[in-house]
Amino acid sequence: MIEVTGNEPFDEQAEFYASLKINLEKNHNFPEDYLYKFIIVNNQEKLTEIYKVFDGTKNTFSTRESSNGKYISISIQCFVLDAEHVIRLYQEVAKIEGVIML
């Protein structure tokens, strides 16, 4: 699991996203449906912020609360055109404080 919270120094973020782009292009056949997974504290406002990032895309959301109800896991199956599209959506979600990206 790679955790990106958006609080990393710019160089680390740039390096991470450059590496991610290489791996995406190597392992995926775009355009395709891509699965995003996130974990957040059980907070409806945070969930709504994530929904807004994917507004305007062809997607399917599913959520599940943790057994104690403290966290929500979010899975989003989203149609993306290319690796850059995947990364742009990740970068927008990374701006939301407290989101763990899996």
Side-chain angles (χ1 to χ4, degrees):
M1 172 180 80
I2 298 174
E3 182 179 336
V4 178
T5 62
N7 297 325
E8 292 80 10
F10 178 76
D11 289 344
E12 284 182 35
Q13 283 185 20
E15 187 177 312
F16 170 78
Y17 287 119
S19 174
L20 177 60
K21 182 179 180 198
I22 291 167
N23 285 326
L24 287 168
E25 290 174 343
K26 180 180 173 184
N27 296 305
H28 292 272
N29 188 21
F30 296 107
E32 69 175 15
D33 284 335
Y34 182 83
L35 180 62
Y36 292 86
K37 290 188 168 220
F38 308 109
I39 296 174
I40 60 171
V41 172
N42 193 345
N43 177 311
Q44 192 60 43
E45 289 177 16
K46 296 276 185 210
L47 188 58
T48 300
E49 287 182 61
I50 292 172
Y51 286 159
K52 285 180 182 179
V53 169
F54 290 89
D55 192 33
T57 65
K58 180 182 174 193
N59 64 67
T60 305
F61 276 81
S62 64
T63 60
R64 193 177 77 183
E65 283 189 18
S66 62
S67 58
N68 64 7
K70 186 174 181 179
Y71 298 97
I72 298 175
S73 66
I74 306 158
S75 297
I76 306 164
Q77 191 79 30
C78 181
F79 184 76
V80 293
L81 300 173
D82 52 29
E84 288 88 7
H85 192 187
V86 171
I87 291 169
R88 277 193 310 273
L89 291 169
Y90 270 129
Q91 288 172 326
E92 287 302 309
V93 172
K95 294 176 185 177
I96 302 168
E97 188 176 329
V99 176
I100 299 171
M101 297 188 239
L102 307 176

